[in-house]
Amino acid sequence: MNVLLINASPKTNGNTAIALQEVQNELEKQGIETNLVHIGNKDIRGCIACNYCSTHGKCVFNDIVNETAPAFEKADALIIGSPVYFANPNGTASAFMQRLFYSTSFDKTMKCGAAVAIARRGGSSATFDDLNRYFTISGMPIVSSSYWNMVYGRLPGEARQDGEGLETMRTLGRNMAFMLHAIQDAKEKYGLPEREPHTMTNFIR
Ligand SMILES: Cc1cc2nc3c(=O)[nH]c(=O)nc-3n(C[C@H](O)[C@H](O)[C@H](O)COP(=O)(O)O)c2cc1C
């Protein structure tokens, strides 16, 4: 089993990296393979609603989104880590997640999801809630921890001082490993839940 971790911070060794590495180490201790992709230092534009992906199965912009999509398809879980910018995920995280989830049509049912928010002071809950919504529209169970997944720090490295935040990350790693095993067992025993053909109902009346 393997978990794809996405670092949306522009900083390779910033606080988001510290938080994600804490989850990653715990997952690996539990025998889960991990793959951490740094997207926050890439030039990622937003979705232009061209719907190229609906006919081509990939985004019209051939960048890190398309490069990461096959790893997401193979992964059993996705963890997105974003610094908090103005009480939201940063623009790179939002552009990446919107285009990744819109442009990929493979079934994400029962892949686990988790969001991690890193802030100096405020907006972590809003960021956490925002990022979790990609999972809840995709049949992806959210893995929780002993607290909401947030780690505090301003300057790179300060996150190491947030003992409770790092504990939350380690617990997230252990809980995710448990859920991955449980879902694997359940898939073997029961198979994936049946999917209905999708009904689009637009509220235009
Ligand atoms: C444009 C910008 C907006 C920010 N907005 C917030 C904010 O709303 N709340 C907050 O607590 N920290 C805010 N921060 C601080 C970062 O979230 C914080 O420094 C974080 O540790 C950065 O993580 P990184 O080292 O992984 O990049 C902001 C930083 C930047 C650059």
Side-chain angles (χ1 to χ4, degrees):
M1 277 180 291
N2 77 88
V3 174
L4 175 64
L5 298 99
I6 303 293
N7 179 0
S9 164
K11 296 177 190 132
T12 311
N13 296 309
N15 293 319
T16 308
I18 291 168
L20 288 175
Q21 279 155 16
E22 200 74 8
V23 190
Q24 187 179 22
N25 289 343
E26 201 59 42
L27 283 165
E28 286 181 359
K29 270 195 217 161
Q30 306 292 323
I32 309 287
E33 282 176 30
T34 62
N35 174 16
L36 199 157
V37 180
H38 187 204
I39 60 122
N41 56 351
K42 302 284 191 306
D43 189 7
I44 304 176
R45 61 151 306 137
C47 176
I48 58 164
C50 66
N51 281 322
Y52 173 94
C53 55
S54 65
T55 47
H56 293 77
K58 62 178 183 179
C59 184
V60 70
F61 300 117
N62 211 15
D63 61 7
I64 189 78
V65 173
N66 285 347
E67 278 169 45
T68 310
F72 181 28
E73 184 168 14
K74 281 197 212 105
D76 299 291
L78 177 76
I79 302 177
I80 170 76
S82 175
V84 173
Y85 285 4
F86 290 92
N88 280 292
N90 69 0
T92 312
S94 293
F96 178 84
M97 292 294 275
Q98 286 164 17
R99 286 181 43 223
L100 182 70
F101 277 72
Y102 198 67
S103 66
T104 52
S105 56
F106 55 79
D107 189 8
K108 301 167 185 73
T109 311
M110 297 302 146
K111 288 182 189 291
C112 290
V116 174
I118 290 79
R120 177 186 77 84
R121 188 170 175 85
S124 308
S125 299
T127 300
F128 178 68
D129 292 346
D130 179 309
L131 291 170
N132 278 328
R133 287 197 287 270
Y134 295 92
F135 309 132
T136 47
I137 197 175
S138 308
M140 294 176 63
I142 292 175
V143 182
S144 61
S145 182
S146 46
Y147 197 86
W148 301 296
N149 302 328
M150 49 190 72
V151 177
Y152 286 93
R154 182 172 79 89
L155 299 175
E158 283 184 356
R160 287 202 186 86
Q161 297 171 48
D162 181 7
E164 185 170 353
L166 295 181
E167 181 198 326
T168 307
M169 296 299 103
R170 294 190 295 275
T171 305
L172 174 63
R174 286 191 295 277
N175 288 357
M176 182 170 274
F178 179 90
M179 267 183 70
L180 289 174
H181 290 301
I183 288 171
Q184 189 184 46
D185 287 354
K187 275 199 231 167
E188 279 166 21
K189 200 167 170 195
Y190 307 111
L192 283 174
E194 194 185 322
R195 287 180 83 189
E196 288 184 34
H198 187 43
T199 306
M200 288 273 278
T201 310
N202 303 324
F203 293 93
I204 53 170
R205 285 169 204 88

